[in-house]
């Protein structure tokens, strides 16, 4: 079985159901870049245990049977571990190591052994002298403190940049359907930071470093805020470069990019590009579907509220009627009772 049959089956089943990667991500709660990586046949973006779980979840959502998914996992994912190429490479490395050891002359081995023992003895003497010297001990303590501070700073800094932990295959290798998505790419000539919001729903912070290409997809709009070092970033929309908004070291408050225009907070000029008829039609269809769904939800909610009001009105009417009957019965009892004799 071909190695890419799993990726082809996932993509074909998604397209047959008329779903985009964004809609499938909303249904399965799996991030869109991981779905795109799996559909492109890139299975090394995560540990294999997570890849198997994601594939089973996608298969269940797309209606693929579990036996077929298990067969795809065994052939396309588990089969990569024991491929003939990997076994041949391991054999070649072992053979090279063995041949190198066999060609090493005996005098050289003796010289290496004696040099190792001398280095060991000198290291032991140096350790003893360091432990006996208070000044050296102080310098060692200062070095340990500095190392601890650096490690703490690195840990705290890495907590605020989660985007840097995303594997490179997800950003650079994943395939994106350009007919259904708005593609934004970025190239950094210097380190820069930004906050990216996609379609007003997904938001995350990212640090962009040189010599890396970054790529994101959206349905309608990108909102980029708090861009530090804006002059070091070159954005491109659907493969067409955009102007550089700002200078090196400058902070840009907000940059909004849609299919037809680009607006920046540091200028009042908007770059407007004419939209294609197909893009306008897709946007109008999506907006109409969204309006229809909102209208249906509101109609259902109004019907529920009206039913609750009718039920409450009937309940209140029956309660008032029962109260009137109890009052009338008590009045009749008082009227029919004989008067008490006056003493």
């Amino acid at each position: 079985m071909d190695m890419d049959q799993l990726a082809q089956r996932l993509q074909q089943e998604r397209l047959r159901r008329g779903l985009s990667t964004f809609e499938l991500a909303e249904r399965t709660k799996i991030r869109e870049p991981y779905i795109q990586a799996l559909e492109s046949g890139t299975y090394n973006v995560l540990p294999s245990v997570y890849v198997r779980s994601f594939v089973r979840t996608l298969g269940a959502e797309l209606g693929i049977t579990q036996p077929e998914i298990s067969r795809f996992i065994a052939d396309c994912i588990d089969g990569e571990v024991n491929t003939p190429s990997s076994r041949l490479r391991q054999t070649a490395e072992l053979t090279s190591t063995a041949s190198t050891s066999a060609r090493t002359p005996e005098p050289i081995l003796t010289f290496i052994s004696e040099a190792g023992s001398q280095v060991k003895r000198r290291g032991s003497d140096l350790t003893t002298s360091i432990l006996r010297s208070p000044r050296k001990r102080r310098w060692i303590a200062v070095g340990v403190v500095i190392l601890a501070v650096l490690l703490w700073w690195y840990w705290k800094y890495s907590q605020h940049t989660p985007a840097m932990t995303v594997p490179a295959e997800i950003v650079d290798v994943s395939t994106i359907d350009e007919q259904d998505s708005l593609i934004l790419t970025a190239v950094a000539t210097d380190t820069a930071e930004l906050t990216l919001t996609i379609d007003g729903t997904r938001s995350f912070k990212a640090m962009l470093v040189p010599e890396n290409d970054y790529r994101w997809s959206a349905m309608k709009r990108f909102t980029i805020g708090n861009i530090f070092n804006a002059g070091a970033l070159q954005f491109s929309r659907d493969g067409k470069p955009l102007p550089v908004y700002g200078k090196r070291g400058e902070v840009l408050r907000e940059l909004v990019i849609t299919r037809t225009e680009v607006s920046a907070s540091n200028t009042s000029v908007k770059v407007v590009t004419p939209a294609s008829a197909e893009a306008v039609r897709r946007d109008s269809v999506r907006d109409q579907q969204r309006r229809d769904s909102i209208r249906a939800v509101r109609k259902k909610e109004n019907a529920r509220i009206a039913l609750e009001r009718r039920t409450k009105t009937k309940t209140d009417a029956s309660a008032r009627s029962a109260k009137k009957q109890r009052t009338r019965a008590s009045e009749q009892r008082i009227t029919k009772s004989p008067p008490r004799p006056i003493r």
Side-chain angles (χ1 to χ4, degrees):
M1 179 178 288
D2 191 7
M3 181 178 175
D4 291 333
Q5 285 193 0
L6 173 58
Q8 293 176 2
R9 180 60 192 279
L10 292 176
Q11 186 177 20
Q12 290 175 359
E13 192 65 27
R14 177 180 61 79
L15 295 177
R16 189 181 68 82
R17 293 174 177 266
L19 297 175
S20 64
T21 53
F22 175 74
E23 294 172 343
L24 187 58
E26 290 292 329
R27 291 188 178 186
T28 59
K29 306 303 179 183
I30 298 174
R31 292 179 58 188
E32 186 179 2
Y34 292 109
I35 296 177
Q36 295 167 356
L38 292 178
E39 288 188 357
S40 66
T42 306
Y43 305 124
N44 58 348
V45 294
L46 286 171
S48 59
V49 86
Y50 295 104
V51 173
R52 294 191 191 95
S53 177
F54 287 173
V55 168
R56 294 185 184 278
T57 303
L58 292 175
E61 181 65 29
L62 296 175
I64 305 175
T65 61
Q66 288 296 328
E68 188 175 2
I69 286 293
S70 300
R71 186 171 67 253
F72 280 137
I73 291 175
D75 294 338
C76 299
I77 299 177
D78 297 340
E80 291 184 354
V81 179
N82 295 320
T83 54
S85 59
S86 62
R87 291 197 298 268
L88 181 60
R89 184 166 57 253
Q90 294 175 359
T91 304
E93 292 177 355
L94 293 176
T95 305
S96 176
T97 304
S99 61
T100 304
S101 300
R103 291 194 302 267
T104 304
E106 185 67 24
I108 295 178
L109 294 177
T110 304
F111 174 76
I112 292 174
S113 178
E114 293 177 355
S117 60
Q118 292 179 4
V119 169
K120 186 176 180 181
R121 287 195 300 271
R122 292 181 180 179
S124 178
D125 297 340
L126 180 61
T127 303
T128 304
S129 63
I130 289 174
L131 293 177
R132 290 178 179 177
S133 174
R135 184 177 180 181
K136 292 181 179 179
R137 288 201 300 269
R138 285 195 297 270
W139 279 109
I140 291 175
V142 171
V144 170
V145 172
I146 294 174
L147 180 61
V149 172
L150 290 176
L151 291 176
W152 173 83
W153 178 84
Y154 175 77
W155 174 82
K156 182 179 179 181
Y157 185 74
S158 62
Q159 296 298 317
H160 294 283
T161 56
M164 296 299 295
T165 60
V166 178
E169 292 84 356
I170 297 178
V171 178
D172 301 328
V173 182
S174 61
T175 58
I176 303 175
D177 191 358
E178 298 186 0
Q179 295 183 355
D180 296 334
S181 302
L182 175 64
I183 308 302
L184 177 65
T185 57
V187 178
T189 58
D190 195 2
T191 304
E193 295 182 4
L194 54 85
T195 301
L196 181 63
T197 303
I198 301 176
D199 292 328
T201 57
R202 294 173 294 166
S203 180
F204 57 89
K205 294 183 179 180
M207 174 176 288
L208 279 60
V209 296
E211 300 180 358
N212 281 341
D213 296 335
Y214 300 89
R215 189 176 189 181
W216 304 279
S217 65
M219 300 302 295
K220 296 183 66 176
R221 181 178 61 184
F222 292 99
T223 303
I224 310 172
N226 299 326
I227 307 175
F228 294 92
N229 199 6
L233 295 177
Q234 174 64 60
F235 293 102
S236 298
R237 178 183 58 185
D238 291 333
K240 297 180 181 179
L242 298 175
V244 178
Y245 295 94
K247 301 178 181 180
R248 286 184 174 270
E250 184 178 354
V251 178
L252 180 60
R253 184 173 57 82
E254 187 179 60
L255 178 65
V256 180
I257 302 174
T258 64
R259 295 181 186 273
T260 57
E261 66 181 25
V262 180
S263 61
S265 60
N266 59 355
T267 178
S268 59
V269 180
K270 292 185 178 181
V271 180
V272 181
T273 57
S276 62
E278 183 64 21
V280 173
R281 186 190 65 80
R282 288 198 303 268
D283 292 342
S284 62
V285 170
R286 293 193 189 97
D287 293 340
Q288 185 62 36
Q289 291 176 352
R290 188 178 295 107
R291 286 194 295 270
D292 292 342
S293 62
I294 293 174
R295 191 179 296 110
V297 171
R298 288 180 178 175
K299 184 177 180 181
K300 186 176 179 180
E301 184 66 17
N302 292 334
R304 184 185 64 80
I305 293 174
L307 179 61
E308 289 180 355
R309 288 178 178 176
R310 289 195 298 269
T311 304
K312 184 178 180 181
T313 302
K314 291 180 180 179
T315 304
D316 294 343
S318 60
R320 287 195 297 270
S321 177
K323 184 177 181 180
K324 288 181 179 179
Q325 290 178 2
R326 289 195 300 270
T327 304
R328 190 179 298 111
S330 63
E331 291 177 353
Q332 290 177 0
R333 286 197 303 270
I334 293 173
T335 305
K336 292 180 181 180
S337 62
R340 295 182 180 180
I342 300 176
R343 297 181 180 179

